[in-house]
Amino acid sequence: MNTKKVNPKTEILDYLNDLTGRKYRPIKSNLSKVESLLKDGYTIEEIKEVIEVKVFEWLNNPKMSQHLNPTTLFRPSNFDKYINQVVAVKQNPEL
């Protein structure tokens, strides 16, 4: 039985790595961006949903796939736009 407690910041970074096939390390510059989002009231689930939508949108786009990184995804000025995109997709899955 695994009783190891997972840090939410690391869980989110691991999720990004799993979906993108990348290897972003749990260093301060990556984790602090996630921590800021959590402090701003975003949930782990909301952050994961943004990752999912942006991976779906950008992963196979050579020009945009480079932006699937913690700096771009978790930047506060971008994140509010991304979370609203998640809401729009939930309301209209055809988007």
Side-chain angles (χ1 to χ4, degrees):
M1 183 171 158
N2 187 358
T3 58
K4 183 180 176 186
K5 192 169 187 175
V6 178
N7 178 319
K9 296 176 287 191
T10 305
E11 176 185 343
I12 290 167
L13 192 63
D14 288 346
Y15 192 70
L16 174 62
N17 286 333
D18 289 345
L19 293 185
T20 61
R22 301 195 180 152
K23 297 178 182 174
Y24 294 109
R25 297 179 305 173
I27 58 176
K28 184 178 180 180
S29 61
N30 290 335
L31 297 178
S32 65
K33 291 168 181 52
V34 176
E35 183 176 22
S36 291
L37 293 175
L38 293 169
K39 282 183 180 178
D40 285 344
Y42 294 106
T43 66
I44 293 169
E45 189 59 36
E46 288 173 322
I47 297 169
K48 286 182 174 183
E49 288 173 338
V50 165
I51 292 169
E52 291 168 7
V53 166
K54 298 319 282 182
V55 166
F56 180 78
E57 182 180 3
W58 290 348
L59 187 62
N60 294 314
N61 180 330
K63 185 176 179 181
M64 297 306 292
S65 68
Q66 66 183 327
H67 299 293
L68 289 171
N69 62 68
T71 300
T72 301
L73 290 174
F74 306 142
R75 182 180 295 134
S77 60
N78 293 342
F79 199 80
D80 192 54
K81 291 183 284 189
Y82 300 156
I83 199 73
N84 281 295
Q85 183 180 6
V86 168
V87 171
V89 168
K90 283 182 174 181
Q91 291 173 347
N92 183 3
E94 299 293 317
L95 291 177

